[in-house]
């Protein structure tokens, strides 16, 4: 932590201790996850707080998710139409767009946007709570901050992410339909019937939902953890917010590979 | 209090919207959209080769979807494929001398079972078997046949059989191009 706050001291540290630091971070994050999971029954008593957090991280992210979903779908429609027309297979446009959205782009892009839109605000909010001693004050009042602050945000992330990913996918399909059918003149029936004949509910749609649940949990955990353990300075909050985006992007993409390999 | 209520309603709307999107994706853009509930009866067909036919592939009569492939099994005694087709009860009147064939929709599309109606006055019942079936047409076989029959050398010349593929390689593109129009009719 001190290496982050005072970067001039960083070169003096040995690589072994930096490795130990990052291992300690991972371990602390895992223990933090366990304490959040243990606090979930207690936090369900404050279910209204969870609902408020779903509003903040989910419903408030709708605009960016919908806009990005629309444009991603439109770009996919345009690019894949060009590529498929080389092989004379533009009839498969709906299939290719929907499969790539459900299986890959929907969960991943939504998770990256979610980290940028909701993860940062969670980190900054909890970090400022830490910096202004609100978390310590809660402990003084015998309110468990993990149950009242951390767990509701974590739960909200797990619940909101799959819903956001589904909205993203639906808008993506709409965008691809807009470009492929309305603009480039692909046949409407071909677009839908090819899609419905090759997309499977369980293998494609539901696997994507599992993925987005896992990504929501990862992004929310990293955001809450970074906020919770931030150094109580304004610089510390700034670094914690940056680290939230960087770490969650890396972990989401790495986890995506692992989950794809398992869910194939 | 009023503000608290408004974001609760907003959260509810968000969750409803999310689940509506999920329901839309799951039912309208996947194979569930092709799945018709309702009573159906099962008929069987034996094929020597089913090609790439998959479960839930459509069964069509005159191009109209009347059912789907319910099960695909291998008959261990006769070593051919038994395909069970579940046909919607609305289409009861399929003559029992109809023929079933496995076709491909387009050049690279999915395969489906097509039923050519016969002229018999008696209709197919649950559990009946098609008398006439036509296996899926293998592209490789077709190309092979064109190579054998279209070449200049004699069929009974043993040397010609070995050298022919090299001789007619230039012609191979032409029969392959004509193929889609042949299979569509």
């Amino acid at each position: 932590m001190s290496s982050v706050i005072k970067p001039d001291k960083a070169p003096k540290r040995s690589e072994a201790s930096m490795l130990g630091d990052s291992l300690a971070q991972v371990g602390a994050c895992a223990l933090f996850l366990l304490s959040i999971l243990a606090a979930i029954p207690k936090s369900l008593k404050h279910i209204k707080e969870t609902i408020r957090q779903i509003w903040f991280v989910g419903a408030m992210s709708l605009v960016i998710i919908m806009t990005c979903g629309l444009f991603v779908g439109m770009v996919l429609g345009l690019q894949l139409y060009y590529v498929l027309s080389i092989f004379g297979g533009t009839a498969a446009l709906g299939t290719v767009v929907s499969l790539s959205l459900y299986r890959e782009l929907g969960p991943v892009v939504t998770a990256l946007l979610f980290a940028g839109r909701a993860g940062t605000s969670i980190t900054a909010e909890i970090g400022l709570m830490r910096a202004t001693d609100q978390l310590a004050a809660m402990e003084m009042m015998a309110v468990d901050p993990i149950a009242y602050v951390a767990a509701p945000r974590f739960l909200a992330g797990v619940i909101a992410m799959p819903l956001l990913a589904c909205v993203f996918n639906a808008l993506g399909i709409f965008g691809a339909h807009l470009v492929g059918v309305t603009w480039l003149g692909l046949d409407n029936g071909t677009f839908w019937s090819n899609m419905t004949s090759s997309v499977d509910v369980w293998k494609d749609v539901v696997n994507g939902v599992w993925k987005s649940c896992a990504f929501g949990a990862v992004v929310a955990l990293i955001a809450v953890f970074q906020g919770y353990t931030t150094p109580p300075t304004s610089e510390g909050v700034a670094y914690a917010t940056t680290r939230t985006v960087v770490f969650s992007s890396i972990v989401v993409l790495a986890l995506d590979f692992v989950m794809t390999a398992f869910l194939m | 209090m009023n503000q608290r209520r408004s974001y609760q309603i907003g959260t509810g709307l968000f969750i409803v919207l999310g689940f509506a999107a999920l329901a839309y994706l799951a039912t309208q853009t996947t194979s569930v959209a092709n799945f018709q509930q309702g009573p159906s009866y099962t008929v069987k067909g034996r094929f020597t080769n089913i090609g790439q036919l998959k479960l839930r592939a459509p069964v069509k009569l005159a191009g109209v979807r009347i059912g789907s492939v319910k099960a695909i099994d291998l008959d261990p005694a006769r070593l051919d494929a038994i395909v069970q087709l579940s046909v919607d009860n609305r289409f009861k009147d399929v003559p029992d001398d109809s023929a079933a064939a496995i076709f491909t929709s387009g050049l690279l599309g999915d395969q489906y079972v097509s039923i050519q109606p016969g002229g018999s006055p008696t209709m197919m019942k649950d559990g009946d078997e098609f008398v006439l079936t036509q296996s899926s047409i293998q592209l490789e076989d077709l190309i092979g046949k064109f190579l054998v029959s279209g070449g200049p050398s004699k069929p009974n010349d043993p040397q010609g059989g070995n050298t022919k593929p090299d001789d007619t390689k230039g012609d191979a593109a032409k029969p392959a191009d004509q193929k889609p129009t042949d299979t569509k009719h």
Side-chain angles (χ1 to χ4, degrees), chain B:
Chain B
M1 191 64 206
N2 207 3
Q3 194 192 351
R4 165 166 290 220
R5 185 155 175 74
S6 71
Y7 74 66
Q8 282 181 349
I9 292 172
T11 310
L13 279 178
F14 162 65
I15 291 176
V16 167
L17 177 71
F19 276 106
L22 176 61
Y24 171 74
L25 297 180
T27 58
Q28 295 304 304
T29 69
T30 67
S31 43
V32 171
N34 295 335
F35 182 79
Q36 81 272 51
Q37 213 105 29
S40 61
Y41 63 101
T42 306
V43 290
K44 280 188 289 189
R46 287 176 182 274
F47 297 92
T48 48
N49 192 340
I50 59 164
Q52 310 295 315
L53 190 71
K54 296 193 190 85
L55 284 180
R56 297 202 306 273
V59 175
K60 294 180 179 180
L61 200 158
V64 179
R65 186 191 173 91
I66 61 166
S68 59
V69 173
K70 189 180 167 194
I72 298 171
D73 286 308
L74 182 73
D75 182 355
R78 290 171 53 174
L79 293 178
D80 53 10
I82 302 179
V83 178
Q84 295 193 13
L85 315 168
S86 92
V87 180
D88 201 282
N89 265 4
R90 284 181 296 160
F91 309 105
K92 263 284 190 208
D93 299 336
V94 180
D96 67 354
D97 62 344
S98 302
I102 299 177
F103 285 147
T104 309
S105 46
L107 186 55
L108 300 168
D110 281 348
Q111 291 194 303
Y112 64 96
V113 179
S114 171
I115 296 175
Q116 276 112 18
S120 166
T122 52
M123 302 302 162
M124 289 200 100
K125 298 185 301 293
D126 188 55
D128 275 4
E129 194 177 315
F130 284 102
V131 188
L132 294 168
T133 59
Q134 183 194 327
S135 290
S136 99
I137 296 160
Q138 302 287 351
L139 200 58
E140 296 88 338
D141 289 354
L142 269 186
I143 293 173
K145 273 178 197 158
F146 271 114
L147 289 179
V148 172
S149 64
S153 58
K154 311 286 175 290
N156 53 1
D157 179 8
Q159 295 299 315
N162 290 336
T163 56
K164 189 153 10 92
D166 294 328
D167 293 340
T168 57
K169 208 156 232 174
D171 295 342
K174 205 170 17 151
D177 283 347
Q178 288 167 351
K179 209 228 99 213
T181 54
D182 288 348
T183 50
K184 263 177 190 157
H185 293 301

Side-chain angles (χ1 to χ4, degrees), chain A residues 48 51-52 54-55 58-59 62 102 159-160 163-164 166-167 169-170 173 192 195-201 205 209, chain B residues 1 4 6-8 10-11 14-15 17-19 21-22 24-26 28-34 56 108 110:
Chain A
K48 284 195 174 145
I51 292 174
R52 201 170 68 94
I54 294 177
W55 167 255
L62 264 182
Y102 295 162
I159 295 168
L163 301 176
L164 288 173
C166 288
V167 174
N169 285 342
I173 301 281
W192 290 113
M195 191 192 294
T196 54
S197 66
S198 20
V199 179
D200 188 80
V201 184
V205 177
V209 171
Chain B
M1 191 64 206
R4 165 166 290 220
S6 71
Y7 74 66
Q8 282 181 349
T11 310
F14 162 65
I15 291 176
L17 177 71
F19 276 106
L22 176 61
Y24 171 74
L25 297 180
Q28 295 304 304
T29 69
T30 67
S31 43
V32 171
N34 295 335
R56 297 202 306 273
L108 300 168
D110 281 348

